[in-house]
Amino acid sequence: MPEESNRELVCTYDPLKEFLAHYADAKSTKSESTSYAGMTVEEKLKQRIIDGDKLGLDDDLREALQTYSALQIINDILLGGMKVVGDLFGAGEMQLPFVLQSAETMKAAVKFLEPYMEKVEGEQSKGVMVLATVKGDVHDIGKNLVDIILTNNGYRVVNLGIKVALEPMLEAVTREHADALGMSGLLVKSTAIMKENLEVMESRNIRIPVVLGGAALTRKFVEKDLRALYKGTLSYAQDAFDGLHFMEQLKGGVRAISSPTVVTREAAAELEFEEELDNATGAESKIVMASRALPWLQHPKKTVSASEKSVELEALQEEIADFPIAVERIETAEGTEKLVRTSKTPHDNPVPTPPFWGSRVVEDIKIEKVWEYLNEVALFRGQWQMKRGKRSVEVFEKQIEEVARPKLAELKLRAKRDRMLSPKVVYGYFPCWAEGEDLVVLKPRSLATSQIYDRWDLSVSSLNDLEEWKRFTFPRQPTARRLCLADFYLPKEEAERRNTTDVVAFTAVTVGLEASRYTKKLFEANEYSDYLFMHGLSVETAEALAEYWHKVVRTELGIAGNDAKDMQRLFSQGYQGSRYSFGYPACPNLEDQTKLFELIRPERIDITLTEEYHLEPEQSTTAIVAHHPQAKYFSIK
């Protein structure tokens, strides 16, 4: 029986190799079945790097050592292969997972050659970059990809890790005689930290060349706003190869960059939109892109991909939440009054009765159930960066079916076998009401401190028994529909008239610390493609858990009957109400995470906050849940 179980875990089909074969071009990449017969040893080594083929690599390296020094092999042969990989990636002919497979092969070759290199040779490099994720930010996948690409193209990288303040960066620049500094970060808060760092550097007359990257950054922000305040060399990196180009230009390297393919205006618009969709970091950010891209989506098509359907559905939410505008007189905390232009959101919907008041921890969650809510579009395209590019929808969908999904099945087995993902949730229901742009969370006056972080064993039906606990202030759209998140909760005056409150739910979910530890080990072991795949799966599993628990909340509130039956429609808010995460447009203040922590104590499931209010572990998310029928995502410009 044990032998039978072991056989089930052996993967005889390698989806990564198969996907590479699908994307292979006869002139630039070779399929696994192509023979190296007739090639010189130089050609074989270069082709192995391009293919990411380690089988037989050592023998070819031994043969090459009979003619070349170890350093000559690296600089004159292997790096030539990596340059081809970069050109193929830039032309859209090679996907990121296979770039990383090439990097793995390059790393294996260098490791084999190291004993043959003299110490002085081993210390040589084309240049040095100090690389770090900025203070307070725990995300390192983008930074580590830059590390991989630079390291395997002959540069030395001093990777300082995550949550790095400016002073350690500058100390490393001086200590390592670095040629450049790279700063990375995921959310909007990190872009503000980058700006502050540049301002400090400018005030000290520090002129180290800097390259910036991260999901929230835009080329316009870096090249217009940030470049105006920093006189040193400053560049924006959209991807890891932009970081390589930056270093090569900085060090005066000569590199042939492929000319862009001439495409029609319509095709260019389609590719631009697809790139924006792939770079979106959350459903709320996709809403903004969807509304801008809707005219393109309305063009007749023979076939429409699942991701395009998702975006079309999300774009329609602007109309769903289109309320009349009203002017209300609001009494301030100081006792004065002010006029507020607001959306005239109706509040004639029934207020659901929660199954309990207070909060509870849930740990016995089956990972298989969580994966039922896994958004494969976000995983394949966003995390794994398997993009359609110039290929037809039909060809791309076929590749997803034949390659990506088998790879996902393999990774799920590995995640279960190694117990990499441990889903945990803490959530709760609280009485509340709205006061203008504030959401006021209430608690019973008589509630003992020892009872606060549990289910409350008492009624909250009388307003006289309640007192203010926490207050969240949300921004309002300055124009158009004047929406504010607080509009989706019962106003205080209406609550007093009915002698009742509204109900708000807060959630915090995580798949545990082991996911971060596991992917860190993969990166340190130079298993780059598995690092990308596993990191993406862990992040999207956390999102799936958040989606699943939102379903639980809707079920417990008795509003799940309005849920869409199609899962793709469900991902596009095909249900009553909405789930908002701090840091996105409707509730942009990450500092409000501290109030959520005071309400439900996510540290009970090992989630903590960084000094910049980001969640640790990275594979975690929190949310505020509104049940109002017209609560949907909206942007605030």
Side-chain angles (χ1 to χ4, degrees), residues 177-457:
H177 305 287
D179 300 292
L181 171 63
M183 289 188 276
S184 177
L186 180 69
L187 297 179
V188 174
K189 184 72 175 180
S190 297
T191 67
I193 297 296
M194 293 178 192
K195 181 179 180 182
E196 292 172 7
N197 288 349
L198 291 172
E199 288 173 336
V200 171
M201 292 167 65
E202 177 64 26
S203 68
R204 298 182 188 176
N205 291 318
I206 295 173
R207 294 289 185 270
I208 181 75
V210 176
V211 60
L212 305 176
L217 279 175
T218 64
R219 188 176 301 277
K220 179 180 178 182
F221 177 68
V222 173
E223 296 183 352
K224 181 180 179 182
D225 299 319
L226 299 187
R227 192 168 283 171
L229 58 86
Y230 183 65
K231 293 185 175 60
T233 300
L234 182 65
S235 185
Y236 166 71
Q238 182 174 327
D239 55 44
F241 276 97
D242 277 354
L244 175 61
H245 298 159
F246 172 79
M247 286 298 289
E248 290 184 332
Q249 292 172 9
L250 190 66
K251 299 300 291 182
V254 178
R255 177 175 175 79
I257 301 176
S258 302
S259 300
T261 303
V262 178
V263 295
T264 64
R265 179 178 299 178
E266 291 77 11
E270 180 174 342
L271 290 172
E272 179 183 358
F273 167 72
E274 185 179 58
E275 182 180 37
E276 289 182 340
L277 174 61
D278 290 330
N279 291 334
T281 58
E284 289 175 330
S285 60
K286 282 194 238 180
I287 286 294
V288 181
M289 290 191 296
S291 62
R292 184 171 69 247
L294 194 56
W296 165 72
L297 290 169
Q298 290 173 340
H299 288 304
K301 292 175 176 286
K302 292 182 180 179
T303 58
V304 181
S305 69
S307 59
E308 291 165 350
K309 290 178 183 176
S310 173
V311 172
E312 286 178 316
L313 290 169
E314 289 177 344
L316 295 177
Q317 293 172 180
E318 291 280 312
E319 298 178 15
I320 295 173
D322 195 6
F323 309 129
I325 297 174
V327 178
E328 294 185 1
R329 191 176 299 275
I330 303 296
E331 183 175 344
T332 67
E334 293 77 20
T336 59
E337 289 187 339
K338 64 177 181 179
L339 292 178
V340 177
R341 289 178 61 82
T342 180
S343 62
K344 194 173 182 180
T345 310
H347 292 99
D348 52 358
N349 58 293
V351 175
T353 301
F356 63 90
W357 295 106
S359 63
R360 63 186 290 251
V361 172
V362 184
E363 296 183 323
D364 54 342
I365 302 170
K366 299 293 185 184
I367 190 65
E368 294 84 358
K369 185 64 179 179
V370 176
W371 279 332
E372 290 179 15
Y373 292 82
L374 186 70
N375 189 332
E376 292 183 349
V377 172
L379 176 64
F380 299 153
R381 294 181 54 163
Q383 299 294 339
W384 292 359
Q385 299 192 34
M386 293 178 173
K387 304 178 183 181
R388 179 163 66 89
K390 303 169 187 176
R391 296 164 180 81
S392 69
V393 172
E394 292 86 352
V395 169
F396 181 71
E397 294 289 352
K398 181 180 179 183
Q399 290 163 346
I400 291 297
E401 289 297 328
E402 295 180 356
V403 180
R405 290 201 172 93
K407 184 65 180 178
L408 175 58
E410 174 198 333
L411 292 173
K412 285 180 176 179
L413 281 175
R414 193 189 307 181
K416 291 175 65 177
R417 179 195 68 197
D418 296 340
R419 299 182 179 180
M420 187 184 80
L421 305 173
S422 301
K424 296 180 183 180
V425 172
V426 57
Y427 77 114
Y429 301 99
F430 303 93
C432 68
W433 58 47
E435 293 183 20
E437 293 163 359
D438 293 352
L439 173 66
V440 181
V441 181
L442 310 165
K443 69 178 180 67
R445 298 178 189 276
S446 59
L447 189 65
T449 303
S450 60
Q451 293 180 292
I452 289 179
Y453 302 106
D454 201 346
R455 283 176 278 191
W456 300 344
D457 187 23

Side-chain angles (χ1 to χ4, degrees), residues 456-509:
W456 300 344
D457 187 23
L458 70 168
S459 171
V460 296
S461 57
S462 173
L463 298 189
N464 293 329
D465 295 334
L466 300 173
E467 63 181 358
E468 180 175 330
W469 188 10
K470 297 296 172 188
R471 181 180 290 258
F472 295 85
T473 301
F474 302 113
R476 182 175 297 283
Q477 289 178 315
T479 58
R481 294 171 290 121
R482 308 282 181 175
L483 282 175
C484 173
L485 200 156
D487 294 346
F488 302 128
Y489 296 92
L490 199 64
K492 179 181 179 181
E493 57 272 21
E494 181 65 16
E496 290 174 337
R497 187 183 69 79
R498 299 188 199 176
N499 193 31
T500 187
T501 67
D502 208 330
V503 55
V504 59
F506 292 91
T507 65
V509 310

